[in-house]
C-alpha cells in the first residue's frame, strides 16, 4: 500500500489542522497581528467557534473555564510578548487546577531571540523562560519542518492535563510546510465577496445614526 501523499500548507494551517484532529471545537483569544491568520483560518472551519476577549487574561480564563466544565482541551490564542505575559496569571490558576490548556502565542523571530544583549525590541521577551519560571510547559517551533511535530507534542501534553505554551515565531506562521494528506481535512480559507449596494447603504445608515461609532477591522 502506497504512503499517503503530502501537501504543502502554511504553518498556521498545520496548527489549525492539529487542533481539529484533536477534536477542538472552541477557542478563545485576543487577536494580534502575528496570530491573525491562524485565528481567521481556525474560526472559518466548520464546527469550530472562536470567542474574542478584551484582555489576554480573560481569554485564558475563558479557555480554562470551558475546559473545566466540558472536560475537553481548552485553547487560547494570544499575540507575542506582552500579550502572552498578560495571560500568565490566569494560566497559573489553570495549572494549579490541573486544567488541560493549550496557549498558542506568537513569538519573536529568531533574529530577535538571538540578538545581542542590549538590543531592544518592543515586544521581545524570553517567552520560554517566562513560561518555565511559572511552572508551565513550553514548546517552541524553531524550524518550519519541525512545526507539525512540535504542535502535536504541545497538544498531547496539554491533553494530559498540563498548561502548555506553544510559541510560534512570527516569521514562521506563513511559511510553507509539508503535511500528510488528510481526507476531509480543513478546507481553504473562504473568500470574502465585495459588499453590495444594499449592504453599503445599510452600513451608511448605521453610521449616520451613531453617536460614538467604533469600527473593528
Amino acid at each position: 500500500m502506497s504512503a499517503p501523499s503530502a501537501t504543502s500548507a502554511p504553518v498556521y494551517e498545520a496548527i489549525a489542522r492539529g487542533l481539529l484532529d484533536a477534536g477542538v471545537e472552541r477557542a478563545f483569544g485576543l487577536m494580534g497581528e502575528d496570530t491573525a491568520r491562524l485565528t481567521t483560518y481556525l474560526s472559518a472551519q466548520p464546527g469550530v467557534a472562536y470567542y474574542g476577549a478584551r484582555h489576554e487574561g480573560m481569554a485564558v480564563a475563558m479557555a480554562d473555564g470551558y475546559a473545566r466544565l466540558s472536560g475537553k482541551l481548552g485553547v487560547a490564542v494570544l499575540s507575542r510578548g506582552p500579550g502572552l505575559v498578560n495571560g500568565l496569571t490566569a494560566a497559573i490558576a489553570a495549572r494549579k487546577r490541573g486544567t488541560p490548556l493549550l496557549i498558542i502565542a506568537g513569538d519573536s523571530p529568531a533574529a530577535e531571540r538571538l540578538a545581542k544583549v542590549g538590543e531592544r525590541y518592543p515586544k521581545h521577551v524570553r517567552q520560554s523562560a517566562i513560561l518555565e519560571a511559572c511552572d508551565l510547559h513550553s514548546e517552541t517551533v524553531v524550524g518550519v519542518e519541525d512545526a507539525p511535530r512540535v504542535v502535536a507534542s504541545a497538544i498531547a501534553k496539554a491533553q494530559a492535563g498540563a498548561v502548555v505554551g506553544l510559541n510560534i515565531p512570527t516569521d514562521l506562521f506563513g511559511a510553507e510546510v509539508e503535511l500528510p494528506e488528510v481526507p476531509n481535512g480543513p478546507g481553504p480559507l473562504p473568500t470574502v465577496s465585495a459588499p453590495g449596494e444594499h449592504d453599503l447603504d445599510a452600513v451608511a445608515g448605521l453610521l449616520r445614526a451613531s453617536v460614538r461609532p467604533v469600527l473593528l477591522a
Side-chain angles (χ1 to χ4, degrees):
M1 183 175 180
S2 60
S5 59
T7 182
S8 178
V11 168
Y12 66 80
E13 184 175 330
I15 299 170
R17 181 174 295 188
L19 295 175
L20 292 170
D21 290 344
V24 170
E25 300 175 348
R26 301 287 186 274
F28 308 84
L30 180 57
M31 186 185 295
E33 77 280 4
D34 44 2
T35 56
R37 286 176 291 182
L38 169 62
T39 302
T40 303
Y41 184 87
L42 182 64
S43 61
Q45 301 309 311
V48 178
Y50 173 82
Y51 300 91
R54 295 185 179 182
H55 188 276
E56 292 86 355
M58 294 309 301
V60 176
M62 290 160 68
D64 179 19
Y66 167 77
R68 293 189 197 184
L69 291 174
S70 68
K72 299 179 180 180
L73 176 65
V75 176
V77 184
L78 311 178
S79 56
R80 66 174 171 140
L84 175 64
V85 172
N86 282 345
L88 286 179
T89 299
I92 292 171
R95 188 259 301 168
K96 291 183 177 181
R97 291 294 299 268
T99 302
L101 179 61
L102 178 65
I103 302 173
I104 303 173
D107 197 1
S108 301
E112 293 185 20
R113 297 199 310 275
L114 301 177
K116 296 178 181 179
V117 175
E119 292 189 70
R120 296 183 180 273
Y121 296 90
K123 286 190 173 183
H124 174 64
V125 298
R126 295 174 57 195
Q127 293 187 188
S128 292
I130 290 174
L131 289 166
E132 291 168 3
C134 296
D135 291 328
L136 306 174
H137 293 270
S138 177
E139 295 270 7
T140 301
V141 174
V142 296
V144 175
E145 298 79 6
D146 207 33
R149 183 195 65 79
V150 175
V151 171
S153 174
I155 292 174
K157 288 180 180 179
Q159 287 179 318
V163 177
V164 181
L166 174 58
N167 306 303
I168 314 293
T170 57
D171 55 337
L172 296 184
F173 264 104
E176 293 288 317
V177 62
E178 291 295 322
L179 298 176
E181 192 66 48
V182 179
N184 300 321
L189 187 66
T191 58
V192 179
S193 59
E197 184 175 346
H198 176 75
D199 298 319
L200 294 175
D201 289 341
V203 172
L206 289 173
L207 288 174
R208 284 193 294 268
S210 301
V211 177
R212 300 175 64 186
V214 176
L215 302 180
L216 300 179

